[in-house]
Amino acid sequence: MKIRDISRMAWDQVKRRKVVTGLCMTGISIGCAAIIVALSIGQSAQTYVTDEVNRNFKMDEITVTPGGGIPSRGGGGGSAETNENLDPGKLTAQKLEIIKSLNHVVAAAPFEDAGYMQMLTVDNKIADIQVKATDLRMLGEFGFKFKQGGVTDLPGMVVLNYGATLGLIDNETRQKLYEQMGADPFSSDLMDQYNKMSTLPSEIYRQQVQLQATDYSTTEGNIKLSSALQVGGILATAEGTDDLRASYEKIMYVSLETAAQLTQQLSFGNNNGMTPNVEENSYKSVTVKVDSTDNIKSVEAMIQKLNLNAMDNLYQQEMLKEQFDMIKMAALGIGVFILIIASISIIVAMTMSTHQRRRQIGIMKVLGANMGQIRNMFITEAALLGLLGGMLGVLFSYLIIMGLNKLVGTAGDSLNFVIPLTTIPVGLAFAIMTGVLSGIYPAISASRTDALTAIKRD
């Protein structure tokens, strides 16, 4: 018999024995769907969490800080002074230019934390804000998008993130609310009022603001105010970030020149107020954006050759990958276990079919069919059952994922489950393999049936 004849006979048996076919397909489809859904949920959750981590930790960025310096030897008097020329670990403007010229580097700019202060508006509204000094012209290179305004390098111009425009209230109202929450910290009404106040937007684009620094080291709590600063741009929030979450992060970006002026105006000389940069033309921290996370390590190695420290956040991604790989393996194990249970039903069904079809097998042997052809016919029949069950399992998978997406969407989460195309062949392969392996024993049993004995009995 040809392969076509064997396939046709196996297909005829699958169609004729509808109840057995349906039961076997159901078992295999459940196992196949379990594998596809489990892998899809794991992959979707990993993608979602990775995107969140990328948004918060910037996986494609490297933080560069000064390395260790080498002090020069003292002169005849035995003094030990530090020679700037013998300090290879200093993060200088020259090294910053070298970093910018490295392969795979998209952008590099200082992002120096100048401390936390209070921002005052012209209408006496106040908010706690973090000040960062950087090259404002490079913000777009680091993926920042402007909601209002744009890049500016004029003296006294600042850029605010969207969170800095939320929750601006006058000091009296703010203090009163804090006192009420301190007296009744578990009040849901006060918490709702606080959340509403925290997300209340203010129009401060092109408005003037001032920074206020307080010296908390003295009992008087001396206060210094900066000169007027003009808001030249408002940054947009990242996709999927709501106002409440954005209000937790309030950042003001200033140029390095403006930061130097603010340092003179707001520093108390005792590490309070504006944090000064101790040396001119050198930086405490530089952020480097790389074109791909695959090139992070190579760029880090080149930066370290400049006697600088380089740190990334890839360990977060590696930890997540290990955790989700374990989840995927556990889910795959569950699906395989279900397929093993389904394979038992196929073995039982095919074995019963062998006994029921003894006369047919005997006649086929009398007509010239050998053991291999009969064995192949039963294995093909089992493979067809596996294929049909796998196809039904794929359909079940899409229905389950659709239901999960509706359930998650009702809960208001931005997580969206999808079935990667790579999981479908995996599920089908397991289903067909289950069918083939389950059909081996019945096929061997059928091929060993004695022709004359089978015909005489029936």
Side-chain angles (χ1 to χ4, degrees), residues 5-61:
D5 298 328
I6 293 175
S7 301
R8 180 177 52 80
M9 293 180 66
W11 177 247
D12 289 340
Q13 288 297 323
V14 169
K15 289 192 299 182
R16 190 176 68 177
R17 298 163 58 242
K18 294 182 175 60
V19 176
V20 175
T21 298
L23 292 174
C24 293
M25 284 176 55
T26 301
I28 292 179
S29 64
I30 293 174
C32 178
I35 291 177
I36 294 176
V37 170
L39 292 177
S40 300
I41 291 176
Q43 184 66 38
S44 300
Q46 182 177 358
T47 302
Y48 173 76
V49 174
T50 301
D51 290 342
E52 290 295 309
V53 171
N54 283 333
R55 182 184 303 168
N56 295 318
F57 294 99
K58 303 291 182 67
M59 293 296 182
D60 58 349
E61 292 183 359

Side-chain angles (χ1 to χ4, degrees), residues 148-167:
Q148 292 177 293
V151 176
T152 178
D153 57 353
L154 296 176
M157 301 291 286
V158 300
V159 174
L160 301 177
N161 72 339
Y162 179 68
T165 67
L166 302 174

